[in-house]
Amino acid sequence: VRARRPVPGALALLQALRPRARIGIVSNNVLEEQEAKLEQFGMRPFVDVLVVSAEEGVSKPDPAIFQAALERLGTTAAETVMVGDNWMSDVLGAAKVGMRTVWLNRRREACPNRAMATEIRSLEPTDVVARVILDGRA
């Protein structure tokens, strides 16, 4: 538990986005662990919906887990943005249901398909990343 660290800029980004958007998390994990992480890092008040594979019975990239998140958020895929750090699970899974995707590529890997996702390398600076997420512009 002590070894856990949030992605730099994550809390500030959630704080910046929260007044303008509903926020959901989709995770291939168990609910208790994800809830503990959110509490530990002070992020829980900024997350509206937490959808985890252990509860849903399906894992990312299965479109069903993204559909569950959309239903709980009360949004459509067209008005929702998925920010994820795993190309296969996050980007491909969200794209299958029609979400716009932002790929957090902290490892600076080659982008498999620039037309499929907007690539960012960090969650900072907050204002720039928030603009990419909310407006689709860098």
Side-chain angles (χ1 to χ4, degrees):
V1 174
R2 283 189 176 158
R4 290 181 185 158
R5 291 190 185 8
V7 173
L11 180 58
L13 183 60
L14 289 174
Q15 291 169 328
L17 292 173
R18 187 65 188 89
R20 298 187 54 197
R22 292 183 45 77
I23 298 173
I25 293 177
V26 177
S27 174
N28 286 346
N29 208 326
V30 295
L31 184 62
E32 297 77 20
E33 185 173 333
Q34 290 306 99
E35 287 284 5
K37 287 179 189 177
L38 291 174
E39 289 294 334
Q40 179 180 355
F41 301 128
M43 296 176 179
R44 192 62 186 106
F46 305 101
V47 177
D48 297 296
V49 172
L50 176 57
V51 179
V52 296
S53 57
E55 301 287 314
E56 293 300 316
V58 292
S59 298
K60 297 184 293 182
D62 190 310
I65 197 165
F66 293 98
Q67 280 300 141
L70 292 170
E71 289 168 18
R72 290 191 198 167
L73 284 167
T75 61
T76 66
E79 62 191 3
T80 305
V81 180
M82 172 63 177
V83 179
D85 63 357
N86 185 293
W87 184 269
M88 295 295 293
S89 296
D90 300 326
V91 174
L92 293 182
K96 284 181 187 175
V97 298
M99 290 181 192
R100 184 166 60 84
T101 58
V102 175
W103 182 38
L104 175 56
N105 182 10
R106 294 184 293 159
R107 294 185 191 98
R108 300 181 182 272
E109 299 170 351
C111 184
N113 182 344
R114 294 202 183 279
M116 187 174 281
T118 301
E119 181 182 353
I120 59 175
R121 301 264 171 107
S122 168
L123 296 181
E124 298 168 310
T126 301
D127 60 330
V128 173
V129 176
R131 192 166 45 251
V132 168
I133 294 168
L134 294 170
D135 304 329
R137 296 181 285 123

